C-alpha cells in the first residue's frame, strides 16, 4: 500500500488562483505549480525551490509527495532537530491541515527516522512498508564512514520515488553531493530559504521558483523586526532581555525567546542565569547535549511549556516556533545563512500583534563578521531592509538600484586538464616537518574543492571560492564570486614544497592544514634560490630589480629596476653596498629554444612567463628541485656582487638591539586582532626581552605600538627564519599603491619585512642573513659627529629636564606659537628653540614643531640663506651618561626621517600636519614658509639630522666598555645610513654642560 499514491485524489490541491476551497499561501501556490511544470518538462533534473523561512516549505514537501504519487519518500535534513520536526509534521500532515486541504482525508502516512548507518542492502528492507524516511547526511553518506567501520550501503535503486532536501543550501558540500549523485535517477526537490550559498555558487539543480522576501513582507508572512542595541556589560544585557521578555509576555502570554551565543559552555551558563529567578524557564540546546534533551527542549518551546532556548550555531536552523518574539544576540550570527534563518523565524506574523525584537550589544554589531553577514543579507534581497531596517541601517546605506545577482558554476564541473596557469612558485623547505597532501576537506575560512588530479603523496590541488568586490565598490553591495587555484607539490627526495597560488591568504590557511608543524616550515633563502640561475647558456637579463638594504630616500629609492636586453652591465659597483638583488628575470638558450626564468630572493619565488598544465608544472618543479639541491656556491650568474650576506643557523655574536624594517619607516601600519579593541594604526617598535648569547638560535622580543598600551610577545628563530608566539593572533594591514591594502598575519608580515638585529661584533642579521659591518670601531670617533657649535644646556635648563613642555598635550592653550615666549625654559624643547632662535635672524629661519605620532622630527628647521633643512630629534629626562637606551630612540627616529631627505614628501607632510586644532604648528616663520613652499626644490637644499639629548655623553671611546661599544655600533650604523642618502648626522649631547 502506498499512502501518497492511494490518497492522491483525497487532497485539495492549490488552485492557480485564490479559492474558498483551500487556504494555501500565495508562495505555496506558486511553488506547487512550478513543481508540476518542472515534473513535465525537466523531471530528470534536480529542482531548487526558494521560499523564505516560515513560508510553508514543509507543506510544499507534502504536496510534492502527493503530486509525484510516491510510494516512498526520502527526506534529508541538515540537523537532528529539523529531522525530528519534519517527522512530527509529516506524522500529522500539519501544514496541509492548516491550509484546509484535508477535508476528506483522515489517515496519515507512516513516517520513520533513520538514525543509524546501514551497512547492508538487506537492512533497508526494514523500511519497505514506510511511506517517509527522514534522515541526516551522515546516516547515508560514505563520506562520514570511519576507517574502523564498514562502508554505508546505498538503498536499492528503486526504493525511493522522491528525494526531498530541506535547508538545501548545504547541498554544495561534498558529502551532500555524494548523496544526491547516488539518486541521480530519482526526482529530487531541494528546498531552501537561501537559494544561493554565501559565495554565490549554484546549488546542484535548476532554480524553478524563488519567492523574494519583500513579497513575503507584502503578503503578510513577515512583519517588521525592531533592533535594540545595548552598550552595557553581559549582566546588563541579560537583565534587558529579561525585562523585554516580561513585557512581551504581558501582551502575548505565548511569546518566546531565542538567544544565541558562540560556545556551548556559554550557552549552559546563560540558560542558568535566565532561569535563576524562577521567573523564566530557559534551556540550552547544542551539540554537547544528548538528542532527547534537544528534541524535548524544542518541543517544549514550541508548545509554550518553556520561555526560551539558548542556541549555538546551526541549532537555530529550521526550528519552527510560531510565537518566537525575541532574539538576543549575546554573540551575533556571522553568516548570511544564520542571519536569514534567525530573522526569518522572528519576523513571522505571530498569533497576536506584538512586535518582534532583536537585542544585541553595540560592539558585536560593529564587528567585521557581523557587518559582512548583514551586507550579504541586504545583497540577498533588498526587501530585508523593510523587515529589519534598523539592523540594515547599522551597516549599509540604502542603495536602491537594480542588482543582477552574479551566479557561477561549481568548480567541480571543470575539466582539470584544461587548467593552465603561469608557472610561478614559492618554495619552502620541509626539513624538520611533514606534509599530508591527502587531506580531502581542509577546514579553512571559505569553501574549498579538491582537484581530482591530486595524488595524495606528492601533489594536492584545491580551488577556493570566495566573494569579492570591485576596487571602486568595496563599500557597496556589488559583489562577485572569486575562484582561486592552489597547487602544492612536494617531489620525493628533496624535502621541498612548491606552492602555486592566486590568493596568499587562503594558501596560508591551506598550509596550516597540510603541514604538521608550520613553525618549522621555512621559505627557501636567497642563497639557495640563486642556484636556479646558475649554469644558464648565454643568459640575457631582461629585468634586474635592486632592493635597498639601507633606508629609502629621495635619491636612493626603496627599490629600483633596470629594464632592457642585457641589463647586468648597467649595475654599478656603487650599487653593491646599498642594494642586493630583489628579483632578476632572464632569457637563455635551451637547445634549439629560448626559455625564460626569474627569481625573487626576498619572496622565495621562481617563475617563467609561460603557462603550463598541472602535469607540466610538476615536471618544471622537478627540474627546479634538482637545481635547488645542488651543492654549488650560491650566486646569481653575472650578478654575484649583489649577493651580500650569508645564511646563518645561529647568532654568531650577542644581539644588542633590534630595529623595525627600515623600508617601513614612517609607513602607516594598521594592526588588528589579539588584545586590541578594533583596528589600531600605529608606529611599531621592537625591544629585546631576553639576552641571546653567541650560539643561540632564538631570542624573545616585544612588539610595541606607539600610543597603545599593548606589548605583543614573540620569539624569533634565526635557524629557520621564523616568528612564533602570540604574535600570530594579530593581523597587519599595509597600504598599497592601488585602492586596496594588503593584509598579512603578523608572523608573515615580519617574515616579508624582516627587522634588523645588531650584534656586539658589528654584524647585522636580517631575514636569516648576516651582513658584516663596514665600520671598524677602533678607528671610529664619535666626537667627529659632535656639533661645531655646542649648546651649553646649563644656561637654559637643569640636568635631567623633561623632553616636552608641560603645556604640550591634549588640553593645549591656543595659539601654541605664543607659548614659546621669553620665560625661563622648562624643557629640552624650549631650551632648543631658545638656542636656535639665537643663531639666526628671524627673517632667515622657519621652525615647525612636528612632535607626536607620525612625526618627521620634533622640529623641522629651514635656514633660508644657507639653504639648509635640519631635522631635530630630541630626548630628555636623564642625567649624563652613556647607554643604548639614550641613543636607540634617536636612531629609530632618524631612520624614519630619511625618506624625507631630498623629497617633496617633506612639504606634503607639513601641509597635512599644520591643520588648525592640531599640536603640530609653526613656531616661527609661517608666512615665510608659505612663500618658500611654492618654489621649493628638495634636491637644491642640504640636509642635516640632529640627535639631541642633554643626558648623552658624546665624548666616549667606543671600545672603552660594553655600553660604549653598543652605542658606538649603533651610532656608526646611523652615520652610515644617513650619509648614504647624502645627508649629515650631528649629535647635540651633554657636551660639557654639567
Amino acid at each position: 500500500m502506498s499512502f501518497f499514491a492511494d490518497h492522491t485524489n483525497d487532497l485539495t490541491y492549490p488552485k492557480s488562483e485564490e479559492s474558498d476551497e483551500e487556504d494555501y499561501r500565495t508562495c505555496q501556490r506558486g511553488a506547487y505549480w512550478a513543481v508540476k511544470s518542472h515534473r513535465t518538462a525537466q523531471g530528470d533534473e534536480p529542482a531548487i525551490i526558494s521560499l523564505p523561512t516560515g513560508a510553508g516549505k514543509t507543506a510544499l514537501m507534502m504536496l510534492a509527495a502527493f503530486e509525484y504519487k510516491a510510494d516512498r519518500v526520502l527526506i534529508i535534513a541538515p540537523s537532528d532537530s529539523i529531522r525530528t520536526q519534519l517527522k512530527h509534521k509529516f506524522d500529522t500532515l500539519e501544514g496541509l491541515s492548516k491550509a484546509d486541504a484535508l477535508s476528506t482525508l483522515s489517515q496519515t502516512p507512516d513516517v520513520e527516522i533513520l538514525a543509524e548507518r546501514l551497512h547492508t542492502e538487506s537492512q533497508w528492507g526494514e523500511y519497505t512498508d514506510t511511506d517517509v524516511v527522514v534522515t541526516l547526511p551522515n546516516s547515508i553518506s560514505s563520506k562520514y564512514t570511519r576507517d574502523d567501520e564498514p562502508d554505508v550501503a546505498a538503498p536499492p535503486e528503486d526504493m525511493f520515488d522522491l528525494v526531498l532536501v530541506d535547508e538545501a543550501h548545504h547541498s554544495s558540500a561534498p558529502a551532500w553531493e555524494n548523496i544526491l549523485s547516488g539518486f541521480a535517477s530519482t526526482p529530487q526537490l531541494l528546498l531552501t530559504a537561501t537559494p544561493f550559498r554565501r559565495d554565490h555558487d549554484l546549488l546542484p539543480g535548476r532554480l524553478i521558483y524563488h519567492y523574494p522576501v519583500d513579497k513575503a513582507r507584502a503578503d503578510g508572512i513577515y512583519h517588521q523586526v525592531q533592533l535594540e542595541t545595548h552598550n552595557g556589560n553581559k549582566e546588563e544585557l541579560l537583565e534587558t532581555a529579561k525585562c523585554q521578555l516580561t513585557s512581551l509576555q504581558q501582551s502575548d502570554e505565548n511569546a518566546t525567546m531565542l538567544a544565541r551565543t558562540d560556545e556551548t559552555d556559554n550557552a549552559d551558563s546563560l540558560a542558568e542565569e535566565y532561569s535563576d529567578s524562577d521567573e523564566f524557564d530557559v534551556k540550552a540546546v547544542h551539540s554537547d547535549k544528548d538528542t532527547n534533551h534537544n528534541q524535548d527542549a524544542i518541543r517544549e518551546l514550541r508548545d509554550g511549556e518553556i520561555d526560551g532556548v539558548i542556541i549555538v550555531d546551526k541549532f537555530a536552523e529550521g526550528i519552527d516556533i510560531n510565537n518566537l518574539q525575541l532574539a538576543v544576540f549575546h554573540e551575533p550570527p556571522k553568516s548570511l545563512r544564520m542571519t536569514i534563518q534567525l530573522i526569518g523565524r522572528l519576523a513571522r506574523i505571530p498569533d497576536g500583534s506584538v512586535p518582534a525584537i532583536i537585542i544585541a550589544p553595540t560592539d558585536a554589531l560593529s564587528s567585521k563578521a557581523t557587518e559582512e553577514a548583514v551586507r550579504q543579507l541586504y545583497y540577498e534581497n533588498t526587501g530585508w531592509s523593510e523587515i529589519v531596517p534598523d539592523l540594515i541601517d547599522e551597516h549599509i546605506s540604502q542603495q536602491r538600484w537594480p542588482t543582477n545577482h552574479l551566479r557561477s558554476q561549481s568548480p567541480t564541473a571543470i575539466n582539470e586538464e584544461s587548467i593552465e596557469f603561469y608557472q610561478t612558485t614559492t618554495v619552502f623547505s620541509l626539513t624538520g616537518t611533514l606534509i599530508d597532501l591527502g587531506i580531502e576537506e581542509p577546514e579553512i575560512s571559505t569553501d574549498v574543492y579538491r582537484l581530482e588530479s591530486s595524488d595524495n603523496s606528492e601533489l594536492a590541488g584545491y580551488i577556493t571560492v570566495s566573494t569579492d568586490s570591485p576596487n571602486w565598490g568595496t563599500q557597496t553591495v556589488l559583489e562577485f564570486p572569486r575562484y582561486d587555484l592552489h597547487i602544492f607539490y612536494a617531489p620525493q627526495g628533496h624535502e621541498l614544497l612548491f606552492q602555486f597560488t592566486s590568493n596568499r591568504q587562503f594558501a596560508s590557511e591551506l598550509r596550516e592544514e597540510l603541514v604538521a608543524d608550520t613553525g618549522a616550515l621555512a621559505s627557501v633563502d636567497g642563497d639557495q634560490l640563486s642556484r636556479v640561475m646558475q649554469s644558464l647558456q648565454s643568459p640575457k637579463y631582461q629585468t634586474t630589480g635592486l632592493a635597498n638594504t639601507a633606508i629609502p630616500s629621495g635619491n636612493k629609492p626603496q627599490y629600483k629596476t633596470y629594464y632592457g636586453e642585457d641589463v647586468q652591465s648597467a649595475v654599478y659597483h656603487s650599487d653593491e653596498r646599498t642594494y642586493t638583488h630583489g628579483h632578476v628575470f632572464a632569457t637563455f638558450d635551451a637547445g634549439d629554444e629560448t626559455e625564460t626564468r626569474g627569481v625573487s630572493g626576498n619572496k622565495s619565488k621562481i617563475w617563467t612567463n609561460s603557462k603550463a598544465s598541472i602535469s607540466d608544472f610538476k615536471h618544471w618543479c622537478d627540474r627546479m628541485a634538482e637545481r635547488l639541491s645542488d651543492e654549488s656556491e650560491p650566486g646569481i650568474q653575472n650578478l654575484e656582487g649583489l649577493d651580500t650576506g650569508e645564511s646563518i643557523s645561529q647568532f654568531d655574536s650577542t644581539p644588542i638591539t633590534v630595529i623595525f624594517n627600515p623600508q617601513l619607516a614612517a609607513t602607516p601600519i594598521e594592526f588588528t586582532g589579539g588584545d586590541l579593541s578594533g583596528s589600531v594604526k600605529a608606529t611599531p617598535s621592537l625591544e629585546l626581552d631576553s639576552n641571546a648569547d653567541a650560539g643561540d638560535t632564538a631570542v624573545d622580543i616585544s612588539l610595541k605600538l606607539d600610543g597603545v598600551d599593548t606589548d605583543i610577545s614573540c620569539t624569533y628563530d634565526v635557524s629557520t627564519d621564523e616568528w612564533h608566539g602570540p604574535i600570530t593572533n594579530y593581523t597587519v594591514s599595509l597600504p598599497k599603491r592601488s585602492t586596496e591594502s594588503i593584509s598579512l598575519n603578523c608572523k608573515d608580515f615580519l617574515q616579508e619585512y624582516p627587522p634588523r638585529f645588531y650584534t656586539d661584533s658589528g654584524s647585522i642579521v636580517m631575514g636569516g642573513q648576516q651582513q658584516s659591518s663596514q665600520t671598524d670601531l677602533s678607528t671610529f670617533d664619535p666626537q667627529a659627529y659632535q656639533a661645531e657649535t655646542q649648546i651649553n644646556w646649563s644656561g637654559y635648563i637643569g640636568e635631567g629636564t623633561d623632553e616636552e613642555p608641560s603645556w604640550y598635550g591634549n588640553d593645549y592653550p591656543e595659539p601654541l606659537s605664543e607659548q614659546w615666549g621669553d620665560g625661563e625654559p622648562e624643557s629640552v624643547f624650549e631650551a632648543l628653540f631658545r638656542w636656535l632662535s639665537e643663531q639666526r635672524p628671524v627673517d632667515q629661519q622657519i621652525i615647525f614643531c612636528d612632535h607626536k605620532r607620525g612625526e618627521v622630527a620634533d622640529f623641522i628647521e629651514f635656514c633660508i640663506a644657507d639653504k639648509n633643512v635640519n631635522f631635530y630629534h630630541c630626548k630628555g629626562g636623564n642625567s649624563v651618561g652613556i647607554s643604548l637606551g639614550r641613543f636607540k630612540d634617536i636612531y629609530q627616529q632618524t631612520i624614519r626621517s630619511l625618506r624625507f631627505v631630498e623629497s617633496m614628501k617633506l612639504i606634503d607632510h607639513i601641509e597635512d600636519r599644520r591643520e588648525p586644532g592640531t599640536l603640530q604648528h609653526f613656531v616661527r616663520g609661517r608666512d615665510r614658509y608659505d612663500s618658500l613652499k611654492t618654489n621649493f626644490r628638495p634636491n637644491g637644499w642640504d640636509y642635516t639630522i640632529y640627535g639631541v639629548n642633554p643626558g648623552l655623553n658624546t665624548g666616549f671611546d667606543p671600545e672603552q666598555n660594553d655600553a660604549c661599544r653598543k652605542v658606538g655600533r649603533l651610532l656608526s650604523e646611523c652615520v652610515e645610513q644617513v650619509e648614504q642618502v647624502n645627508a649629515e648626522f650631528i649629535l647635540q649631547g651633554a657636551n660639557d654642560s654639567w
Side-chain angles (χ1 to χ4, degrees), residues 688-710:
L688 295 176
D689 279 350
S690 63
N691 295 321
D693 297 323
D696 287 349
T697 61
V699 60
D700 295 329
I701 299 166
S702 285
L703 189 152
K704 301 177 183 294
L705 305 180
D706 181 31
V708 180
D709 187 20
T710 296

Side-chain angles (χ1 to χ4, degrees), residues 836-875:
L836 289 175
S837 64
E838 295 168 356
Q839 306 308 303
R840 290 176 178 82
V842 66
D843 61 347
Q844 293 297 311
Q845 188 181 52
I846 300 168
I847 299 178
F848 182 74
C849 180
D850 193 35
H851 180 54
K852 291 298 184 184
R853 183 185 300 182
E855 67 189 38
V856 169
D858 293 314
F859 292 95
I860 303 170
E861 180 188 32
F862 296 85
C863 302
I864 299 172
D866 299 330
K867 299 199 77 171
N868 286 335
V869 178
N870 301 321
F871 299 154
Y872 295 90
H873 300 288
C874 305
K875 290 296 163 189

Side-chain angles (χ1 to χ4, degrees), residues 205 241-242 290 322 540 554 586 607 721 876 965 993:
K242 286 182 177 181
D290 62 56
N322 291 331
K540 293 183 178 181
W607 75 91
D721 188 29
R965 187 161 47 252
S993 300

Side-chain angles (χ1 to χ4, degrees), residues 755-775:
R756 287 187 167 204
F757 292 86
Y758 294 92
T759 72
D760 61 2
S761 68
S763 62
I764 299 170
V765 176
M766 192 173 182
Q769 302 275 313
Q770 179 172 283
Q771 296 174 328
S772 299
S773 172
Q774 302 297 305
T775 303

